[in-house]
Every structure is written in structure tokens, then in C-alpha cells.
Amino acid sequence: MSKFLTQKLQGLTPYVPGEQPKEREYVKLNTNESPFPPSDLAVEGASEYAKKLYLYPDPDLKELTNAVADYYGVGAENVILTNGSDEVLNFAFSAYCDKDTPAIFPNITYGFYKVFAELYGVPYTEIPLKSDFTVALNDYINAKGTVFIANPNAPTGINLTIDEIEKIVSSNKERVVVIDEAYVDFGGQSAIKLIDKYDNLLVTQTFSKSRSMAGARLGMGFGSKGLIEDLHRIRYSTNPYNVNSMTAAAGLGAIKDDKYFRDNCSKIIKNREYTETELEKLGFTLTDSKANFVFAKSDKIDGKTLYLKLKEKGVLVRHFDKVEIKDYNRITVGSIEQMQYFISMVKEILKEIK
Ligand code: PMP
């Protein structure tokens, strides 16, 4: 840290992304990426645009915005595209939280919410999950700030129903409710259909997971015309070219290739079920995940040790030191071959510690 950094930022603890090791080939089940390549149409789109990199992108991303709007059955004025969904969440914190409007989110959720709150110096309240790791719905009714809920939640994978989301949104009409649907395509229910009814609802999604484009950085925000205008105001005040033209072209290809998207989501759901069944046979306890990861603990081995032993055997999963969840690991659902390998390594480890 230099002596020039503002006082406000000196205490900031940045977000720590999952490991992306280069020293060894791992079976990488730690950052919820897709095991499948992007659609051929996405790759072709990006390659075509590589030739046009001398031009700035269209700052309005009209073609992709219209395609996304059509796909999700909303108007173009209800959509904003961003550099990953982290960016639309960033915009939402900067737009809708201040000293009088704190951020409110679960104590166990996507770690970036806290970082954004600290970055903007806004107060925040972390609401404990219930003992079964579900979101404590009633604590968000008539909330005294801007609510951020990942649905399905991370790293638990547990989902609130659309009716439960609606209860939160309808009880907070004077405040914004942000529903982060990064993992919704693997079995959750999207709240996008509620944006017509509630002008305080912002839904965020991403191309990173279900559309295999984590490296391209493409996120989406859906909301009333007013909310989307707010977010564009911030975008045009920070980085009007936030989505690069190759990514936009890839996104267009990915949206057009609906069958590939759906087939991949189905495969992940099937592989998740396989992983859950096998882990249960080995005595693990799991949450009811509707995401592309499972969240599991064993009574035979503690979470950190299992994480380290798997790493030695070339399998990377994600462990969090936070006390409430330190017994668990979050395991991304990959291809069936990856999951079979993962299970065989877990079996080996359990034998070794006997
Ligand atoms: N929300 C949640 C709950 C996430 O886990 C992630 C991925 N780390 C994101 C948002 C952001 O993903 P991206 O910026 O790749 O869209």
C-alpha cells in the first residue's frame, strides 16, 4: 500500500477470487466455471470481431441488448449489459446504497457484497442464515435498506421460491431489492418476470456459468426503465465501453444457441445429482443445491483437511474459513468424468484416514 491511498480505502479488504493455479493441471472444481466450452456460435462471433478490434464497441450494445431482451421477454429499456455480473452489482451498490440507505444481505453469501459496501463506505447489515442455511425470509420484510440476495445463494446453493422473493420485493416498495441470479439456470426460478410489476426489483444474471463464458466477462441486469437508466448513468460516468466488442459478439452467439445452453444446464443438473448421491453414500451431509455446485460436509474428515488432501491429489475445491461453514466444501459440478474422478479421490482419502 502506498502512502497516497485515501484513508477510506486503507482498511478495505478486497475480494479474494478462487485459485487459478498455473503450476499444475488440476481437476478444477473451485470457481463454478462450466466444464463445457462456449457455443461454437459464440466462438465464431468473437473470432469475427477480433478483426474489428481497431474500432470502439457500440456503447449501447444495441444488437446484444435487443437479443437478450427478446430472449427474456422484456423490453430493451429493461436490460443493461456489464463486464460480468460483478459490475452490475457494483453499479447497484454505488446507485442504491449510502449512509442513509445501508446494504442488507445474508451473513453467508457471495463475499463481494461486503467488499462493495466497504469500497463505497456504506453501512451494511449481515442477516444470519437460519440454522438449516436457508435465508431468513422474514428478516427482509420491510427492510431498512437495499437488499441483496443471491438466489440460489452461494455457497449453499439453496433457493428461495419466486413467491418468497415476491414477498420481499413487495414489502420494500420504497427500497431497491437486488436478486443475484448468477446460478439460476441450474434449477432455480428467475424473478425477471416480476420486473414489470415492481419498479424496485433489479435482477442480475451472468454468461459466466451456464453459458460457459466466465473469461469473456458478460453480465446482465434486468429492471424497470428507471432502474436501468440509473445504472446506465453510472456506466456512462465510469466506463461507457464496459463490454468489449468480442465479448458482445460471443454473447450474441451464445444467446442464439439456446439448445446448447439448455443441454449443458441439463447435463450439469444430472452430474450434480450423481455427485450428491455418491457423496451421500459416503456419509456426507449436503444442502439442497440448485446451483452448479454442491456444498458438502463429512463427519469423518474436517472441511479444510479434505480440501488440502484433494488438492494434493490434483482436485481443487473451495473451502471457506468462516466459522459457520468451515466444515463444508463447495464443489463445482463439472463433467461426469471430473465428478467420477473427484468421488474416487474422496474415497481414497477416506480410506487413508481410517
Ligand atoms: N454472483 C454470485 C453469487 C457469484 O458467485 C458470482 C461469481 N463469482 C458472481 C455474482 C459474479 O460472476 P460474474 O462477474 O462472472 O458474472
Side-chain angles (χ1 to χ4, degrees):
M1 197 186 303
S2 84
K3 64 183 180 188
F4 306 109
L5 187 66
T6 57
Q7 182 94 42
K8 194 182 92 178
L9 294 184
Q10 286 177 16
L12 177 69
T13 312
Y15 178 69
V16 183
E19 299 164 86
Q20 298 285 359
K22 297 280 173 281
E23 79 283 0
R24 171 175 177 184
E25 276 273 314
Y26 283 97
V27 173
K28 225 182 138 295
L29 307 177
N30 67 328
T31 47
N32 300 339
E33 288 143 333
S34 172
F36 309 119
S39 148
D40 287 344
L41 296 186
V43 176
E44 282 159 25
S47 317
E48 195 49 39
Y49 255 83
K51 296 177 206 142
K52 299 187 194 161
L53 282 179
Y54 60 99
L55 296 172
Y56 279 106
D58 167 15
D60 294 325
L61 297 169
K62 274 203 197 68
E63 203 179 354
L64 181 57
T65 305
N66 287 334
V68 166
D70 284 351
Y71 185 87
Y72 288 100
V74 298
E77 69 282 10
N78 302 118
V79 175
I80 183 168
L81 300 169
T82 52
N83 193 308
S85 58
D86 280 338
E87 189 179 52
V88 64
L89 292 166
N90 181 355
F91 290 170
F93 270 86
S94 108
Y96 304 119
C97 301
D98 64 13
K99 67 176 180 9
D100 303 317
T101 321
I104 301 175
F105 42 84
N107 65 335
I108 294 163
T109 189
Y110 184 33
F112 224 137
Y113 302 159
K114 192 170 165 174
V115 178
F116 284 134
E118 286 179 0
L119 174 67
Y120 291 110
V122 296
Y124 58 91
T125 307
E126 295 176 281
I127 299 187
L129 293 183
K130 293 204 228 166
S131 57
D132 61 0
F133 286 158
T134 55
V135 168
L137 180 69
N138 290 338
D139 293 346
Y140 298 86
I141 305 294
N142 286 316
K144 300 272 179 291
T146 302
V147 170
F148 291 82
I149 289 183
N151 195 43
N153 196 13
T156 63
I158 299 173
N159 188 56
L160 289 174
T161 65
I162 195 84
D163 293 342
E164 289 170 320
I165 294 291
E166 185 163 9
K167 274 190 194 136
I168 297 173
V169 177
S170 64
S171 77
N172 285 293
K173 290 211 173 96
E174 297 309 312
R175 289 162 293 270
V176 173
V177 175
V178 180
I179 304 298
D180 172 353
E181 297 187 346
Y183 300 105
V184 75
D185 296 322
F186 305 105
Q189 287 176 291
S190 177
I192 291 178
K193 55 168 147 332
L194 298 178
I195 63 166
D196 269 354
K197 203 164 157 193
Y198 299 101
D199 66 0
N200 60 324
L201 171 63
L202 179 69
V203 177
T204 66
Q205 289 199 10
T206 180
F207 281 66
S208 293
K209 325 281 178 185
S210 51
R211 289 191 173 86
S212 308
M213 281 178 45
R217 315 304 301 126
L218 185 57
M220 302 173 272
F222 301 90
S224 60
K225 185 165 179 280
L227 291 186
I228 297 301
E229 278 170 2
D230 300 340
L231 302 175
H232 279 303
R233 174 185 278 258
I234 296 170
R235 189 171 72 82
Y236 273 100
S237 308
T238 52
N239 186 7
Y241 304 114
N242 60 333
V243 175
N244 74 71
S245 45
M246 284 201 300
T247 290
L252 195 60
I255 278 285
K256 284 182 182 155
D257 203 349
D258 194 41
K259 182 172 179 326
Y260 184 69
F261 160 73
R262 284 179 193 273
D263 285 352
N264 285 346
C265 291
S266 305
K267 281 185 203 160
I268 294 293
I269 293 170
K270 233 172 104 203
N271 297 351
R272 181 178 72 211
E273 286 163 3
Y274 162 81
T275 311
E276 287 168 342
T277 309
E278 292 302 312
L279 286 175
E280 274 164 10
K281 280 193 221 158
L282 297 172
F284 279 76
T285 306
L286 293 112
T287 55
D288 179 17
S289 174
K290 297 281 184 266
N292 66 339
F293 52 82
V294 299
F295 196 54
K297 74 165 177 181
S298 164
D299 53 9
K300 301 185 186 75
I301 183 165
D302 72 85
K304 183 83 178 237
T305 311
L306 178 60
Y307 156 76
L308 290 170
K309 285 190 177 291
L310 280 167
K311 193 169 175 185
E312 274 169 26
K313 292 183 185 294
V315 181
L316 263 192
V317 300
R318 186 102 197 239
H319 179 262
F320 299 90
D321 285 324
K322 204 168 183 163
V323 60
E324 298 90 334
I325 54 172
K326 68 174 184 17
D327 295 340
Y328 284 76
N329 278 293
R330 190 196 69 189
I331 302 131
T332 302
V333 176
S335 65
I336 191 66
E337 294 78 15
Q338 287 178 314
M339 300 329 285
Q340 283 164 346
Y341 186 73
F342 159 72
I343 293 291
S344 67
M345 289 304 115
V346 174
K347 283 183 181 161
E348 247 183 58
I349 292 166
L350 293 180
K351 258 195 212 133
E352 282 165 15
I353 58 158
K354 247 193 189 160

